[in-house]
Amino acid sequence: MMETPKDTPLSPKSPRTHKVSFGQTSQDGDETERIHRKVSRAKSFAYVEGQEGKPVIKNQFEGSSLAVFTSGGDAQGMNAALRAIVRMGIYLGCKVYLIYEGYQGMVDGGKNIQLANWYSVSGIIGAGGTIIGSARCMDFKERPGRLKAAKNLVKFGINNLVCIGGDGSLTGANLFKEEWSSLLQELLETDQITAEEREKYSFLNIVGLVGSIDNDFCGTDMTIGADSALHRIIEAVDAIVTTAFSHQRCFVMEVMGRHCGYLALAAGLASDADWIMIPENPPEKGWEDKLCKRLAVQRESGHRLNIVLIAEGAIDRDGNPIKSDYVKDIIKNRLKIDTRVTVLGHVQRGGSASAFDRVLATRMGAEAVLALLNATPDSEPVVVSLNGNVTCHVPLMESVEKTKAVAKAMADKDFQRAVELRGSSFLRNLETCLQMSKLQPKRIATEEQYSYTFGVLNVGAPACGINSAVRSFVRHGIWKGCKILGVHDGFEGLVKGDIQELEWKSVYGWTGTGGSLLGCQRVEPAQVGFDHIAKQLKAFKIQGLLIVGGFEAYTSIIQLYEARHDYPEFRIPLICIPATISNNVPGTDLSIGCDTALNEIVNMCDKIKQSAIGSKRRVFVVETMGGYCGYLASIAGLGSGADQSYIFEDQFTIQDILDDVHHLCAKMEGELKRGILIRNELANKHYTTDFIVKLLEEEGKGVFSSRSAILGHMQQGGVPTPFDRNLGLKLGAKSLNYMINCLETKAAKNYVCDTPLSACVCGLRKKQVMFSSIVDLREETDFEHRLPNQQWWMKLRSLNRILAQHDTIYASEVLTEEIEDDVLEDEEDSQCEN
């Protein structure tokens, strides 16, 4: 491995801090009230990593009881959390109760508190809303109401609670815990409970899950329901764009979020909205003039439509509400543009949960049970949160207090503080939005301009979100004065000279378009010849090359880097942005395109399950793409509630398949009459999809029938999800800035880039965009099977087995030697996951 010199692109001698304007004034280039990217951060949370990937033995909490309820506004994904809580609790040997109608059901008791079984939560993983209901409860806000609730819980033997709701619901749960001892004492003194009950249930443990489409809770990167709400918004925007284009209209769209602008902000980025209004970043006085000026410029440049997104809590700098009708009237009267208002309302709460929300809620639900049952009487109440790709615990009241501090900052008109309290993810989204909104080709003379020429091409298979990355790279490059050359059809097109300069208008509307508009091929540099590539790079004076694509794009960077000794033309910044549904490129946790593919697979599995229900006693074997990488099969299995998923990384035998047959036979004897198995396309060369279907047909004869469903290239199609659009946007912008930094750092050497960090992968690792040298990544790669050696999602596989009623241990690796002999004797039926 080559030693990285101190003078690298990551640490240039003279780093320049890029600033963005804080305030809507930035949308026309004004320089008032600017803040640095590095704003003062609020005190960070004390994240405690959860138990994913750690051993959890079946029935280890036998005799315990817990209850779960949903409170506040409903959110897609709540049912997936309920399913995970109930089934994980049963797996651990607990009695699990469902409390219907939130706190009101807890106060009323009786039929509102029901013991759940395995089948109580079947078929609900993708359903929107909450099957156990949610209701406002004034009674619980008073002590007499909480006294009734405590009595009901004690009578059912419950002193462990999972609360799924917002900050108000969680605050109520915390107060309930604090008063628990005095409530029980009062119940004892009034002979409503016995001394034995008082002693047995002397403490109350609570764990919170945040279910909110607003994503307004501090301490977690995402709340349950926010991603699904974004899907609804983008679906609506995409639909409105077509009619707006036809009639050259402007649409003012109001989205939910109360006092939080996350939905409007993220949806604005994903939809390339012309103007976004959020409460955390109110526009300056005179914003009406700036808005009209911007829309007029858009129309003059040939745009046939405009989209203005407004959060329902949008305000101006004086705290006055900004209503959508007012904005419509301003545009219509001043610009004479046909303008309409669309208020999306509760449509955003409706519909099935997205793949992300299903998986997030499932992980959080399982983690909540583990956190609850491992708690002690002195344990501080926690909220299960997502930090990067890791489920964590954060102190409940600390999170609630910081969330309330946002509201106080807003009331005090300290908007910068409000943004800081929202967290680094919200701040980065806001900065990206402000930067994108003010991008106009060569209009801002005060910004430093460059004269570099960069090339961009796609290599590999199509993936939704590729076009968003290219568009972002192009527009950021043009804004900074660079010349961007688009290469059609990968390296074959480069050798043929199929290259054109991409202008501002060239990439209009690319964000929401699937596939690859530049065209992509799997051909790598070595196949077309380094001589030909070097000749074209020199002829077109290309000083940096961005390759967007899958594993072939990654290996292309490696090949060009290794050929630098013989070809000086390759001593330029070489960057790979991973874009593949397989999610098999080292250097990133998530590739562009895999979220869209997951949603396509999960949606198709939902339809397949409906078919199985209609047919009765039918098992489907669904084959997914992914090469040797089992990401799609594993995560889609978790998101669709599949009975099993077969992948290459987790080798299986004929006995494993037969065990699954026996499991399905037992399942068909119960209330469920359907089954679904997911197989990765290269899971095993002998145990093919056809083989498994025939085996199921033979061994399940007389019990169930079996069918196959090979999804094929449908997984590569579809409309990019909000996540893939925004990820492409961010990676494209970051790559452009990185290339410029590389060239600036090496300016004294005539722009020669020969360090390992000038050939890298730009990816999302945990929750940071990072540039990883291919020199380091080569050591982390299984080139034979085109896989990273370590994959974070493998630790989730055992969770799917538990929730599908398989005997297993909740662990990410073999743990037999770590388990005590006496435990193994008690758990003869439990199996360690390989």
Side-chain angles (χ1 to χ4, degrees):
M1 182 183 299
M2 297 177 62
E3 182 179 354
T4 304
K6 293 182 180 179
D7 183 18
T8 70
L10 290 183
S11 56
K13 293 179 180 179
S14 303
R16 185 175 64 254
T17 304
H18 179 69
K19 298 180 180 180
V20 293
S21 299
F22 189 80
Q24 205 72 38
T25 55
S26 66
Q27 298 207 38
D28 71 344
D30 289 352
E31 299 297 323
T32 59
E33 199 175 345
R34 294 170 68 84
I35 62 168
H36 293 276
R37 182 177 296 275
K38 281 191 174 183
V39 297
S40 58
R41 295 285 193 261
K43 180 183 176 183
S44 60
F45 287 96
Y47 290 101
V48 176
E49 190 170 332
Q51 297 190 58
E52 279 185 345
K54 299 177 183 178
V56 177
I57 312 301
K58 186 177 181 181
N59 294 327
Q60 71 179 90
F61 293 104
E62 191 168 8
S64 299
S65 296
L66 65 92
V68 55
F69 68 101
T70 55
S71 180
D74 63 297
Q76 306 97 320
M78 282 184 167
N79 288 324
L82 290 175
R83 174 180 177 271
I85 290 166
V86 170
R87 292 192 171 182
M88 177 59 82
I90 293 173
Y91 174 82
L92 295 174
C94 301
K95 287 184 178 179
V96 184
Y97 292 88
L98 299 175
I99 300 177
Y100 288 79
E101 310 307 336
Y103 282 114
Q104 191 64 56
M106 197 184 301
V107 172
D108 295 341
K111 293 182 178 180
N112 289 303
I113 303 177
Q114 296 184 17
L115 183 65
N117 59 39
W118 197 267
Y119 302 106
S120 300
V121 290
S122 293
I124 68 170
I125 191 169
T130 164
I131 64 165
I132 59 175
S134 180
R136 294 186 180 276
C137 180
M138 301 306 295
D139 293 339
F140 192 82
K141 292 184 177 182
E142 306 296 332
R143 184 175 173 85
R146 295 193 290 275
L147 194 66
K148 292 180 182 178
K151 176 185 175 181
N152 289 328
L153 293 186
V154 169
K155 292 304 180 182
F156 277 94
I158 300 167
N159 67 334
N160 293 297
L161 276 179
V162 180
C163 173
I164 308 176
D167 60 313
S169 302
L170 297 178
T171 301
N174 185 71
L175 176 62
F176 196 34
K177 174 181 171 62
E178 291 177 345
E179 290 185 346
W180 183 259
S181 181
S182 65
L183 291 171
L184 262 59
Q185 184 62 33
E186 185 174 341
L187 290 170
L188 177 64
E189 292 172 354
T190 55
D191 296 326
Q192 297 184 64
I193 62 172
T194 66
E196 182 181 357
E197 288 174 327
R198 169 70 175 84
E199 181 64 26
K200 187 174 182 180
Y201 306 109
S202 59
F203 63 91
L204 175 70
N205 284 327
I206 61 171
V207 170
L209 298 183
V210 188
S212 169
I213 69 168
D214 302 336
N215 200 31
D216 58 351
F217 194 82
C218 298
T220 183
D221 291 347
M222 287 291 284
T223 58
I224 296 171
D227 185 71
S228 298
L230 270 180
H231 278 245
R232 300 295 93 77
I233 295 170
I234 293 304
E235 287 167 5
V237 173
D238 287 349
I240 280 175
V241 161
T242 57
T243 183
F245 184 89
S246 300
H247 298 278
Q248 300 190 59
R249 285 176 177 153
C250 174
F251 271 85
V252 179
M253 302 186 67
E254 182 181 306
V255 302
M256 281 184 165
R258 291 189 301 173
H259 303 298
C260 179
Y262 172 80
L263 288 179
L265 185 58
L269 284 172
S271 62
D272 193 21
D274 297 283
W275 194 273
I276 303 169
M277 289 184 176
I278 61 173
E280 295 89 344
N281 186 38
E284 294 289 345
K285 288 183 179 179
W287 61 267
E288 295 93 340
D289 296 333
K290 297 179 174 65
L291 168 61
C292 291
K293 179 181 176 182
R294 176 166 178 79
L295 297 184
V297 169
Q298 295 288 349
R299 290 300 174 113
E300 290 170 5
S301 63
H303 290 199
R304 290 178 57 87
L305 64 97
N306 298 105
I307 299 293
V308 177
L309 278 176
I310 302 181
E312 61 182 346
I315 56 175
D316 62 21
R317 287 272 157 176
D318 294 324
N320 301 313
I322 298 177
K323 299 298 184 182
S324 11
D325 283 331
Y326 175 71
V327 177
K328 178 204 73 172
D329 292 339
I330 290 293
I331 299 170
K332 187 174 183 179
N333 294 333
R334 294 193 186 183
L335 299 180
K336 308 303 179 184
I337 295 175
D338 186 5
T339 307
R340 306 295 173 91
V341 170
T342 297
V343 180
L344 294 185
H346 286 74
V347 168
Q348 297 156 86
R349 292 190 185 277
S352 62
S354 67
F356 177 89
D357 271 330
R358 299 184 194 198
V359 175
L360 174 67
T362 297
R363 295 172 65 187
M364 284 185 167
E367 187 60 42
V369 174
L370 294 169
L372 196 61
L373 297 178
N374 281 292
T376 66
D378 299 325
S379 295
E380 182 179 13
V382 297
V383 171
V384 177
S385 70
L386 183 71
N387 184 27
N389 275 326
V390 181
T391 52
C392 297
H393 307 162
V394 295
L396 186 150
M397 286 313 297
E398 182 182 345
S399 302
V400 169
E401 287 167 5
K402 186 173 286 190
T403 302
K404 291 180 177 178
V406 178
K408 184 179 184 304
M410 297 282 290
D412 295 340
K413 299 183 177 60
D414 188 352
F415 302 111
Q416 180 174 328
R417 176 66 175 166
V419 171
E420 293 171 14
L421 288 168
R422 288 284 184 220
S424 58
S425 178
F426 187 94
L427 176 62
R428 284 194 297 269
N429 278 333
L430 177 58
E431 290 180 335
T432 303
C433 176
L434 293 174
Q435 187 178 14
M436 290 297 292
S437 68
K438 76 185 220 176
L439 294 185
Q440 291 293 332
K442 301 179 181 178
R443 288 185 61 221
I444 306 171
T446 57
E447 295 289 344
E448 188 170 350
Q449 298 288 297
Y450 305 92
S451 58
Y452 302 127
T453 299
F454 297 137
V456 56
L457 68 158
N458 302 153
V459 177
C464 287
I466 283 180
N467 298 320
S468 177
V470 174
R471 171 189 171 274
S472 177
F473 183 79
V474 170
R475 290 204 165 175
H476 275 82
I478 295 174
W479 179 58
K480 288 179 178 268
C482 301
K483 182 179 181 180
I484 308 298
L485 301 179
V487 181
H488 294 273
D489 297 327
F491 283 104
E492 286 186 336
L494 178 62
V495 170
K496 295 176 181 177
D498 192 359
I499 302 170
Q500 71 172 109
E501 181 176 358
L502 295 177
E503 299 177 349
W504 194 265
K505 294 182 183 178
S506 302
V507 292
Y508 176 73
W510 282 31
T511 302
T513 306
S516 169
L517 293 174
L518 281 180
C520 54
Q521 301 292 334
R522 293 182 180 272
V523 178
E524 299 175 7
Q527 295 173 271
V528 298
F530 294 122
D531 290 337
H532 300 301
I533 295 174
K535 180 181 177 181
Q536 293 293 63
L537 293 180
K538 184 176 182 179
F540 285 91
K541 300 179 181 179
I542 294 176
Q543 297 168 281
L545 195 61
L546 177 67
I547 306 178
V548 186
F551 203 85
E552 294 87 355
Y554 168 65
T555 54
S556 294
I557 295 288
I558 294 176
Q559 291 175 17
L560 294 175
Y561 172 79
E562 292 176 342
R564 276 180 171 177
H565 178 73
D566 298 318
Y567 298 94
E569 292 82 1
F570 301 160
R571 296 171 193 171
I572 58 176
L574 302 169
I575 299 178
C576 167
I577 291 181
T580 168
I581 68 170
S582 302
N583 198 36
N584 64 332
V585 178
T588 189
D589 293 340
L590 295 169
S591 299
I592 295 171
C594 64
D595 185 67
T596 304
L598 270 179
N599 278 277
E600 293 295 324
I601 295 169
V602 167
N603 289 337
M604 285 184 276
C605 285
D606 287 348
K607 295 174 182 177
I608 287 169
K609 285 193 289 186
Q610 290 173 346
S611 172
I613 292 173
S615 303
K616 294 291 185 183
R617 296 185 179 180
R618 176 162 289 177
V619 177
F620 275 88
V621 181
V622 178
E623 180 180 298
T624 67
M625 298 176 80
Y628 286 101
C629 182
Y631 174 82
L632 290 179
S634 296
I635 306 303
L638 195 59
S640 64
D643 296 279
Q644 182 62 284
S645 58
Y646 303 117
I647 66 170
F648 170 78
E649 297 94 331
D650 192 2
Q651 287 296 297
F652 55 96
T653 65
I654 187 66
Q655 186 58 52
D656 295 321
I657 303 176
L658 289 173
D659 289 343
D660 291 330
V661 173
H662 298 151
H663 157 69
L664 290 167
C665 288
K667 181 178 178 179
M668 297 298 173
E669 293 174 359
E671 297 180 25
L672 295 180
K673 306 298 181 184
R674 68 178 188 276
I676 186 167
L677 305 174
I678 299 183
R679 177 187 176 274
N680 170 248
E681 60 182 347
L682 296 181
N684 188 293
K685 66 179 180 180
H686 299 298
Y687 303 140
T688 63
T689 299
D690 186 56
F691 173 86
I692 294 174
V693 170
K694 290 179 178 177
L695 181 64
L696 290 170
E697 195 71 33
E698 180 63 28
E699 296 296 323
K701 189 179 295 182
V703 180
F704 59 80
S705 61
S706 59
R707 298 288 188 275
S708 65
I710 300 176
L711 304 184
H713 286 79
M714 287 187 290
Q715 299 158 84
Q716 290 181 338
V719 177
T721 61
F723 178 87
D724 281 331
R725 298 184 193 199
N726 289 341
L727 181 60
L729 187 153
K730 292 173 185 176
L731 296 187
K734 292 280 188 181
S735 297
L736 189 282
N737 291 332
Y738 191 91
M739 279 190 181
I740 291 175
N741 286 339
C742 285
L743 294 174
E744 284 187 298
T745 302
K746 293 303 177 183
K749 296 184 179 180
N750 297 320
Y751 305 116
V752 174
C753 295
D754 53 7
T755 64
L757 279 171
S758 63
C760 56
V761 170
C762 173
L764 188 67
R765 307 193 86 165
K766 293 189 176 177
K767 58 180 181 179
Q768 299 292 329
V769 175
M770 297 180 63
F771 291 85
S772 307
S773 166
I774 54 93
V775 173
D776 296 330
L777 293 179
R778 283 185 304 190
E779 306 301 320
E780 305 174 15
T781 307
D782 175 0
F783 285 98
E784 180 183 356
H785 299 106
R786 298 157 60 91
L787 292 170
N789 292 332
Q790 300 293 328
Q791 300 183 94
W792 66 270
W793 50 267
M794 283 291 290
K795 65 183 179 182
L796 304 181
R797 283 189 53 75
S798 55
L799 177 56
N800 191 46
R801 292 193 180 115
I802 289 174
L803 302 184
Q805 205 171 9
H806 284 263
D807 288 333
T808 188
I809 287 179
Y810 189 34
S812 60
E813 51 191 50
V814 177
L815 296 161
T816 305
E817 297 178 358
E818 300 178 19
I819 303 173
E820 299 293 337
D821 292 338
D822 57 339
V823 174
L824 283 174
E825 291 175 4
D826 294 336
E827 299 295 334
E828 292 178 353
D829 294 333
S830 296
Q831 300 294 322
C832 291
E833 181 191 356
N834 290 329

